[in-house]
Amino acid sequence: MATSSGPTPEASRKQTPQCWKTFAVSVEGTQHQRKGIPCQDACRASGVASGWLVAVAADGAGSAAFGGNGARVVCDYLYEFLTRLIARGAISVDEVMQWPKLIPRVLLAARRRLEVEARKRGPPVSLADFDTTVVGALAGPWGGILFHIGDGAGCAVMGSDWRGAIVSPPENGQYEDETYFLTMEEWERHLRITPFGPERDTLLLLTDGGTSFIMAAQFAGPEPRFIAPVHQVLRQEEGPEVERELAALFHRPDVARVSGDDITFVWAHRS
């Protein structure tokens, strides 16, 4: 497991807890549409208490028989487990530095849930049939962490400083189309945890279908030409129709020309 050093907080620990606004969509890629394959991405996100956020995105492997199921099980399990811990007061804002020790245990529990799903289906189904990446965020009133296995990306941004974002970039294997999954034996070696301070008021989680056009070159941060107008609209708009509009955006022909893969886009902003 790799843990990055966190930034020096640029805001006081006495900051008043505020609420997170979220929008999250997973949309079927054009390649899957043509082949009649359902979306194999999944996501969950919401502000769950004053100043707290839990967000997760996952990309089920297209080569796995139940990759989409794996993505949905992992997202649901991580989201529900972490929100229950917050509701019980089991995650303290005064122990932010201990959060990286919590995440491997929660991911292991999610992996065991996938093992149960595999056993339910019986041989020859195995854990590898549920291969899935995961990128998530846990944030409290005084900072948070990105946690990440595989491709996709996570970003923590201060204001509109997109190029100054803290980024958790994709990790690919020997070849560009290879990556790492929670379901692999060596999953913990590929778990990356990236802390961020309370000054980071916007978070993005992406599966790899969206990174080619939402992220800038060399994963230097979100591409301002794409994210700045989207961010402005999302800050102003409310209601379920916003996520339908996001889904329509990712189905546009110009997007399809860049990416035919499933796309997950999770946006969270503290206000």
Side-chain angles (χ1 to χ4, degrees), residues 11 16 39 45 47 50 59 101 114 134 136 151 196 216 221 252:
T16 302
C39 182
S50 180
D59 180 359
K101 297 180 180 179
L114 291 177
V134 61
D151 53 22
F196 55 85
R252 280 178 13 182

Side-chain angles (χ1 to χ4, degrees), residues 222-233:
E223 173 52 58
R225 290 173 297 178
F226 176 88
I227 196 62
V230 172
H231 177 70
Q232 183 176 2
V233 170

Side-chain angles (χ1 to χ4, degrees), residues 9 11 21 38-39 64-67 82 88 94 103 115 129 136 144 159 172 179-180 187 195 218 225 250-251:
K21 178 181 181 180
C39 182
F66 303 106
L82 289 170
R88 297 205 311 261
D94 295 321
I103 294 301
E115 291 173 342
D129 289 309
N172 294 99
T179 191
Y180 300 98
W187 67 271
Q218 306 302 316
R225 290 173 297 178
F250 295 129
H251 279 144

Side-chain angles (χ1 to χ4, degrees), residues 23 25 233-234 237-248:
F23 292 108
V25 294
V233 170
L234 295 181
E237 299 296 328
E238 301 283 352
E241 69 279 359
V242 179
E243 292 181 345
R244 290 193 290 270
E245 291 169 2
L246 278 172

Side-chain angles (χ1 to χ4, degrees), residues 6-63:
T8 302
E10 300 155 32
S12 168
R13 282 180 57 84
K14 294 181 180 180
Q15 173 185 359
T16 302
Q18 295 172 306
C19 295
W20 290 89
K21 178 181 181 180
T22 65
F23 292 108
V25 294
S26 292
V27 301
E28 186 181 38
T30 54
Q31 291 178 358
H32 283 181
Q33 286 180 324
R34 287 195 294 268
K35 296 176 182 178
I37 300 172
C39 182
Q40 294 176 310
D41 282 9
C43 59
R44 296 284 299 272
S46 73
V48 293
S50 180
W52 288 93
L53 169 82
V54 176
V56 190
D59 180 359
S63 58

Side-chain angles (χ1 to χ4, degrees), residues 155-265:
C155 303
V157 184
M158 180 174 63
S160 57
D161 184 15
W162 305 111
R163 293 298 173 87
I166 293 173
V167 177
S168 180
E171 183 185 16
N172 294 99
Q174 182 178 359
Y175 302 102
E176 187 176 347
D177 60 350
E178 290 183 346
T179 191
Y180 300 98
F181 303 114
L182 175 62
T183 42
M184 290 178 165
E185 288 296 329
E186 68 276 16
W187 67 271
E188 197 164 0
R189 284 179 47 208
H190 298 284
L191 169 61
R192 292 163 289 139
I193 293 180
T194 306
F196 55 85
E199 71 287 349
R200 304 285 162 169
D201 57 1
T202 299
L203 301 178
L204 297 176
L205 304 179
L206 310 170
T207 55
D208 71 326
T211 55
S212 60
F213 63 95
I214 298 175
M215 296 297 292
Q218 306 302 316
F219 292 91
E223 173 52 58
R225 290 173 297 178
F226 176 88
I227 196 62
V230 172
H231 177 70
Q232 183 176 2
V233 170
L234 295 181
R235 288 188 63 183
Q236 297 170 348
E237 299 296 328
E238 301 283 352
E241 69 279 359
V242 179
E243 292 181 345
R244 290 193 290 270
E245 291 169 2
L246 278 172
L249 168 66
F250 295 129
H251 279 144
R252 280 178 13 182
D254 54 340
V255 171
R257 285 194 294 271
V258 177
S259 174
D261 198 2
D262 297 338
I263 297 171
T264 290
F265 177 88

